[in-house]
Amino acid sequence: MTGVDTRFPAGFSWGAATSAFQIEGAWDEDGKGPSTWDTRGHRDGGISGGATGDVACDHYHRLDTDLELMRELGLTSYRFSVSWPRVRPDGRGRWNSAGLDFYDRLVDGLLNRGIEPMLTLYHWDHPQALEDTGGWANRDMAGFFAEYAEGVAERLGDRVTRWVTLNEPLSVIHSELALRASSSLSAGERRRRALRMAHHLLLAHGLAVPRLRAADRGGEIGISLNLSGMTPASDTVEDRAAAARAEAYEDRLFLDPLLLMHYPEVDGAPVVDCDPADHALIVAPIDFLGINWYAPSRIADGGAGVFGYTRTDFPGVGRNMLGWPVAPSAFGRLFSWLRESYPALPPIHITENGMPGLDEPDVTGSVKDLRRIAYLRACLRQILRAIDAGMDIRGYHVWSLLDNLEWEHGYRPRFGLVHVDFATLARTPKTSYHWYRRFIAEQRGLRGGVPCSG
Ligand code: IFM
């Protein structure tokens, strides 16, 4: 009925994901401090269409409505992020109890509905006060983050099922590179700065893991990486070398230090030169690896970027409204690459997977996002195949529960299972929501691949 063989393992987590800045709104309420993204939104041209996160989906005030949407969907896991400046306005001083209360209510609301909380500590919206001291270019950020992680775990660690330290550290450095593209820094200086930030993000993760373990009561700990899977644009030496560089500067940049205790090499040298003691911190054991996957990359030599490669179209492959190739079968190739490259891979949770669209209600009021359903279904088939081939994949989260603020792109790209009218804030479950609800119900009606009676 839902178009995917119903053979996922019993106990597999069925989820949806969001992040604080993208949905919460209430940007300056109840003692919250400004985040870097608040600052960016308030700056002319900072976010497309002059958008801000001031209201976003107003999730902060509509928590119960959104929790009910999750319950009706049948989720068994919900991935959300804590806004660092909501709970610790300047990042390292006073804690804001009203902010912590909000996440208390969210976590309790999930548990009361039988949904496991997967809490992301950093989904890009750090306090502006910390950005003012250098942000991730400042090594001290790692320690500030570990302290923040511990404080949140002390408050919520008795109830959180899974912790994600960082979301997509690669996107953090890409966003920084984009912002500084026209700065007075040379390409080499921008590249070195970005890699230094990557190292500090990894250190932040490594310092936070033991502190989370000490403060938490048995929750699993992981990190979410956006991986892509690199294909050379041609068989030339130059394009193959460019694809290998892209692999080092993107897919391996965080995986190698986390799992193999070294940085990948380009031209015979590690991409980051660091103290071996840092490696020992970064490799702190994790319980799961979160993977966010949207699209593969086809890489050619050259281009304006600081790493000397550029992305090109896959011949004959369509693109979505953000220009990303629609090639779900490449998800399977990423899994094979992971298995070959990292023999001691931890269990995997797919922490994001989804598709942007321009979805709007039709005359009957329904939002028929059929392309999204086809895409999610095709990705789920790839996950199932990887599980059958022996990969330990334990959960799946659709990005996203709600249409939301897609960072610099504003509100135009819609990723949600639920349509949000940003003028009235009304929520309308899309066709994909109804499909995913049936799909989850089907899956939860199975035990070990055999349908339950009744
Ligand atoms: O919206 C983002 C999310 O915040 C991080 N991963 C990718 C999504 C879609 O671009």
Side-chain angles (χ1 to χ4, degrees), residues 18-19 22 79 123-124 167-168 171 226 292-294 322 324 352-356 399-400 404-407 409 413 415:
T18 62
S19 89
Q22 293 177 272
R79 175 173 176 240
H123 199 122
W124 312 349
N167 179 67
E168 299 186 6
S171 301
N226 49 320
N292 296 356
W293 193 82
Y294 290 88
L322 282 173
W324 306 343
E352 288 182 27
N353 176 232
M355 181 180 226
W399 183 270
S400 178
N404 59 52
L405 176 48
E406 176 58 14
W407 306 106
H409 301 289
F415 277 89

Side-chain angles (χ1 to χ4, degrees), residues 304-362:
V306 300
F307 300 115
Y309 59 81
T310 186
R311 286 180 155 73
T312 61
D313 285 347
F314 284 89
V317 171
R319 294 190 291 162
N320 66 34
M321 55 89 59
L322 282 173
W324 306 343
V326 180
S329 58
F331 203 2
R333 289 202 294 280
L334 177 76
F335 289 128
S336 309
W337 175 82
L338 278 168
R339 270 158 66 92
E340 284 156 21
S341 309
Y342 302 97
L345 212 50
I348 287 173
H349 280 263
I350 307 303
T351 40
E352 288 182 27
N353 176 232
M355 181 180 226
L358 295 167
D359 325 314
E360 290 299 344
D362 64 15

Side-chain angles (χ1 to χ4, degrees), residues 4-22:
V4 179
D5 293 351
T6 46
R7 290 187 293 116
F8 279 86
F12 195 86
S13 296
W14 294 107
T18 62
S19 89
F21 176 72
Q22 293 177 272

Side-chain angles (χ1 to χ4, degrees), residues 5 17 143 148 170 190 200 214 264 269 293 318 358 374 394 414 439:
D5 293 351
Y148 151 69
L170 180 67
R190 279 181 281 139
H200 296 160
W293 193 82
L358 295 167
R394 300 191 176 176
R414 293 176 175 273
F439 177 77

